[in-house]
């Protein structure tokens, strides 16, 4: 039965889920005694930072139940948190499910679960019911807070549990989270998206925008700082529209100002920022707030105003370039990164050339470049003039070449500078080095030890290697 049918408040729902964690813990304990060992789990994340944060909630709840996390999928409970932004993400999941079927034959009590955006796609659940009967648990994006209850149902039943909702306006706070990093954390400030870009499946699978209350966000970050976190990433599909649906509306710019006041917090990042909602006040807040990193991820998608209109992006090339100008006037050293789609339906060579021109004019520090992926259910999927694959591939390679040349030039210009760097871990290839991240999100390797992880040091960028630096502590 749906929780909103029971009219539970978010606080009551949270309490109920903790009760299910205890019930599940008892069943896990019984199974452990039967097998003579601890039960293990693996949560595999596909997709964006929002999914990564959701996965930390899944990990926290399974840990609370007594499961022990392992690195690979030879586990007693395997959970896939899926993405559906591009077709390739779906294909990865279907492929992995085939492997898990053979694992389950060797470990019959294994539980396989699927959640996330892919589960909200039309036809996916029916395909799972028909062809992937070895999957035990299926739920979507709207009821992740009921994970404990769903796991308990799995443990106490041999039936396939399916609970995918079309919508939900409830935000349930205070459930267990186990962070991947001790020193940094994502923080959801809102959920869903109202933009309906014509190529994007997200509004259909994540639902309408819902903002968290500022007091809950501040309380969460204060708790994170008390637990050793020095950097937070504020997360939303479009953070610039934060707060519009609150009873007492608050702009994202003012939320940034409030977060900046938190003692002990050293760095604030955020994503994603939609150009159509980026206000002058947000630029001012970034300039004013000393903890906000000098980095703006500002998706372009296309440099052609004609294509942007068909994409339903609600800005044109001129407005985008005006935002970039304002950002650089206010924060001269700001790093600007972007997303670009190549081969959107109807894209001509002239449209593509406009994209190249914007890339050259803005000179992005880096760019995520994507080949257009047709997503069933979006307006773009049924548009005429789908661009031939060989044309798309040629344009993609030309774009990538320009992007990489500019990125290398921008990185080279930082050589010799001393910048603050957050140490994130030991270098994977040389344990005499540590790896840290600059405010602009680039990486630097330098001499250091494990006890430096989670601290910020002033580092001289001695040599650019294109996508990373070699440096030394000053």
């Amino acid at each position: 039965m749906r929780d909103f049918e029971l009219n539970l408040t978010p606080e009551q729902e949270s309490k109920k889920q903790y009760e299910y964690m205890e019930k599940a813990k008892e069943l896990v304990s019984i199974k452990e005694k039967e097998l003579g060992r601890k039960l293990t789990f693996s949560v595999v994340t596909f997709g964006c930072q929002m999914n990564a944060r959701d996965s930390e909630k899944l990990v926290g709840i399974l840990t609370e139940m007594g499961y022990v996390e392992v690195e690979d999928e030879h586990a007693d409970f395997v959970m896939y948190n899926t993405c559906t932004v591009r077709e390739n993400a779906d294909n990865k999941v279907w492929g992995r499910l085939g492997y898990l079927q053979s694992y389950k034959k060797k470990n019959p009590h294994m539980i396989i679960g699927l959640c996330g955006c892919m589960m909200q796609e039309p036809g996916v659940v029916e395909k799972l019911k028909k062809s992937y009967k070895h999957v035990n648990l299926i739920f979507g994006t709207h009821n992740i807070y009921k994970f404990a209850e769903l796991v308990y149902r799995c443990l106490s039943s041999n039936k396939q549990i399916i609970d995918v909702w079309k919508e939900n306006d409830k935000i349930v706070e205070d459930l267990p989270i186990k962070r991947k990093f001790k020193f940094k954390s994502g923080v959801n400030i809102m959920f869903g998206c109202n933009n309906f870009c014509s190529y994007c499946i997200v509004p259909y699978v994540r639902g309408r925008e819902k903002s968290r209350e500022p007091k809950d966000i501040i309380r969460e970050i204060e708790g994170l700082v008390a637990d050793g976190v020095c950097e937070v990433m504020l997360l939303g599909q479009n953070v610039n529209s934060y707060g519009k649906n609150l009873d007492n509306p608050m702009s994202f710019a003012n939320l940034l100002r409030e977060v900046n006041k938190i003692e002990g917090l050293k760095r604030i990042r955020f994503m994603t920022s939609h150009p159509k909602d980026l206000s002058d006040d947000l630029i001012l807040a970034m300039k004013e707030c000393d903890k906000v990193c000098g980095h703006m991820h500002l998706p372009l998608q296309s440099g052609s105003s004609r294509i942007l209109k068909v994409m339903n992006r609600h800005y044109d090339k001129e407005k985008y370039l005006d935002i970039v100008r304002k950002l650089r006037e206010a924060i001269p050293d700001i790093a600007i990164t972007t997303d670009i789609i190549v081969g959107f339906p109807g894209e001509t060579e002239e449209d593509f050339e406009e994209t190249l021109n914007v890339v050259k004019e803005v000179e992005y520090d880096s760019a995520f470049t994507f080949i257009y992926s047709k997503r069933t259910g979006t307006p773009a999927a049924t548009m005429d003039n789908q661009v031939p694959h060989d044309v798309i591939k040629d344009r993609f390679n030309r774009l990538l070449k320009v992007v990489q040349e500019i990125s290398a030039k921008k990185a080279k210009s930082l050589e010799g500078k001393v910048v603050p760097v957050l140490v994130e871990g030991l270098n994977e290839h040389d344990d005499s080095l540590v790896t840290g991240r600059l405010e602009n999100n680039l990486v630097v390797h330098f001499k250091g030890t494990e006890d430096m992880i989670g601290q910020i040091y002033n580092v001289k960028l001695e040599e650019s290697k294109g996508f990373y630096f070699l440096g030394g502590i000053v």
Side-chain angles (χ1 to χ4, degrees):
M1 186 178 288
R2 298 285 194 263
D3 64 330
F4 50 77
E5 291 170 348
L6 296 172
N7 294 319
L8 292 181
T9 66
E11 293 75 18
Q12 290 169 328
E13 182 63 55
S14 177
K15 183 180 177 184
K16 187 178 87 165
Q17 293 307 312
Y18 273 99
E19 290 169 359
Y20 274 111
M21 284 176 229
E22 287 304 312
K23 290 180 181 179
K25 195 172 187 176
E26 291 174 14
L27 296 180
V28 168
S29 179
I30 291 168
K31 195 69 181 177
E32 286 175 347
K33 288 172 184 172
E34 180 188 318
L35 295 173
R37 61 174 177 80
K38 298 292 286 183
L39 292 187
T40 59
F41 77 90
S42 174
V43 173
V44 181
T45 308
F46 300 84
C48 66
Q49 284 90 343
M50 298 284 283
N51 270 19
R53 185 59 172 166
D54 284 346
S55 288
E56 291 182 339
K57 298 171 187 175
L58 303 177
V59 171
I61 290 167
L62 288 169
T63 302
E64 189 80 13
M65 292 174 176
Y67 282 95
V68 176
E69 188 173 14
V70 293
E71 289 297 318
D72 63 45
E73 291 146 90
H74 290 86
D76 300 299
F77 197 128
V78 174
M79 194 77 216
Y80 284 166
N81 188 0
T82 63
C83 170
T84 191
V85 170
R86 280 171 288 281
E87 186 178 10
N88 188 42
D90 285 11
N91 293 338
K92 283 181 182 177
V93 173
W94 296 125
R96 299 278 273 271
L97 284 178
Y99 284 112
L100 289 193
Q101 189 167 20
S102 62
Y103 294 173
K104 192 161 185 172
K105 286 177 182 175
K106 299 173 187 174
N107 185 3
H109 69 269
M110 178 185 190
I111 293 174
I112 299 169
L114 291 169
C115 69
C117 295
M118 185 177 164
M119 300 307 102
Q120 303 288 153
E121 263 194 281
V124 166
V125 171
E126 286 305 312
K127 183 174 179 178
L128 287 166
K129 285 163 68 175
K130 182 180 177 181
S131 304
Y132 295 84
K133 295 178 181 177
H134 58 290
V135 175
N136 305 86
L137 172 60
I138 301 163
F139 63 100
T141 58
H142 301 299
N143 56 340
I144 189 169
Y145 62 82
K146 294 182 80 70
F147 182 52
E149 181 178 343
L150 296 171
V151 171
Y152 173 75
R153 286 171 59 189
C154 255
L155 291 170
S156 53
S157 165
N158 290 320
K159 295 178 181 177
Q160 190 177 59
I161 306 296
I162 300 173
D163 198 22
V164 177
W165 301 4
K166 288 186 178 179
E167 60 183 24
N168 177 33
D169 61 359
K170 185 179 290 184
I171 296 175
V172 178
E173 304 278 354
D174 300 323
L175 292 173
I177 291 178
K178 187 175 180 184
R179 301 193 311 275
K180 184 177 179 181
F181 300 100
K182 180 76 176 169
F183 54 89
K184 68 176 182 176
S185 178
V187 175
N188 296 113
I189 65 168
M190 60 191 298
F191 305 91
C193 182
N194 291 354
N195 288 318
F196 289 94
C197 300
S198 62
Y199 54 84
C200 185
I201 196 78
V202 169
Y204 305 95
V205 297
R206 281 276 179 183
R208 303 294 76 75
E209 287 177 357
K210 304 182 292 287
S211 295
R212 291 177 68 196
E213 290 290 340
K215 62 179 176 56
D216 293 327
I217 296 168
I218 298 299
R219 181 166 57 91
E220 180 181 351
I221 297 173
E222 287 174 341
L224 290 169
V225 171
D227 194 40
V229 166
C230 65
E231 176 182 296
V232 294
M233 169 80 81
L234 306 180
L235 296 171
Q237 302 298 341
N238 175 18
V239 292
N240 294 344
S241 62
Y242 168 79
K244 292 180 180 178
N245 64 340
L246 293 171
D247 291 338
N248 297 303
M250 171 184 265
S251 69
F252 179 55
N254 284 334
L255 177 68
L256 270 188
R257 292 181 174 106
E258 291 304 308
V259 174
N260 197 69
K261 295 174 186 175
I262 296 174
E263 287 190 25
L265 183 64
K266 295 178 181 176
R267 277 185 173 182
I268 304 167
R269 298 185 185 275
F270 57 85
M271 71 180 314
T272 297
S273 212
H274 196 301
K276 80 177 177 67
D277 298 308
L278 200 155
S279 66
D280 291 346
D281 193 38
L282 175 57
I283 296 173
L284 182 61
M286 290 183 69
K287 181 180 180 180
E288 292 172 350
C289 297
D290 60 319
K291 297 173 184 178
V292 174
C293 288
H295 172 214
M296 171 66 78
H297 187 74
L298 192 66
L300 171 67
Q301 306 304 5
S302 172
S304 162
S305 294
R306 185 186 74 83
I307 292 293
L308 287 169
K309 186 173 183 179
V310 183
M311 285 179 164
N312 198 37
R313 292 290 287 174
H314 296 285
Y315 58 85
D316 57 19
K317 177 176 76 173
E318 287 70 29
K319 180 177 179 181
Y320 185 94
L321 291 172
D322 190 48
I323 293 169
V324 171
R325 178 186 58 77
K326 289 177 179 178
L327 281 165
R328 289 202 164 129
E329 282 178 358
I331 312 161
D333 293 332
I334 193 168
I336 299 177
T337 56
T338 198
D339 299 330
I340 300 170
I341 295 172
V342 178
F344 183 82
E347 180 189 74
T348 64
E349 180 63 23
E350 290 74 20
D351 294 320
F352 176 69
E353 287 289 345
E354 288 199 65
T355 298
L356 280 182
N357 289 338
V358 172
V359 169
K360 291 171 184 175
E361 182 171 346
V362 174
E363 294 200 320
Y364 296 104
D365 290 73
S366 66
F368 296 98
T369 52
F370 304 101
I371 288 174
Y372 167 71
S373 178
K374 187 190 294 187
R375 307 311 292 134
T376 302
T378 63
T382 57
M383 287 179 182
D384 295 330
N385 301 321
Q386 299 286 326
V387 182
H389 181 72
D390 59 331
V391 174
I392 294 175
K393 191 173 180 183
D394 173 67
R395 290 176 185 168
F396 182 83
N397 290 337
R398 287 156 60 197
L399 173 65
L400 196 61
K401 183 174 183 289
V402 172
V403 164
Q404 289 177 343
E405 286 172 353
I406 292 170
S407 295
K409 184 181 83 171
K410 297 279 282 189
K412 189 77 174 172
S413 71
L414 295 175
E415 280 186 350
K417 290 195 173 183
V418 176
V419 295
V421 172
L422 173 61
V423 179
E424 297 196 339
L426 290 175
N427 185 281
E428 292 179 0
H429 307 290
D430 182 349
D431 59 13
S432 72
L433 301 177
V434 292
T435 296
R437 198 168 295 273
L438 286 65
E439 281 196 15
N440 68 3
N441 221 32
L442 285 177
V443 164
V444 58
H445 308 295
F446 56 97
K447 289 286 183 184
T449 51
E450 192 171 3
D451 59 355
M452 296 166 65
I453 294 172
Q455 304 296 318
I456 294 176
Y457 295 88
N458 285 327
V459 175
K460 185 176 182 180
L461 305 177
E462 294 169 349
E463 184 181 359
S464 168
K465 294 290 187 178
F467 297 105
Y468 67 90
F469 294 93
L470 298 177
I473 289 182
V474 175

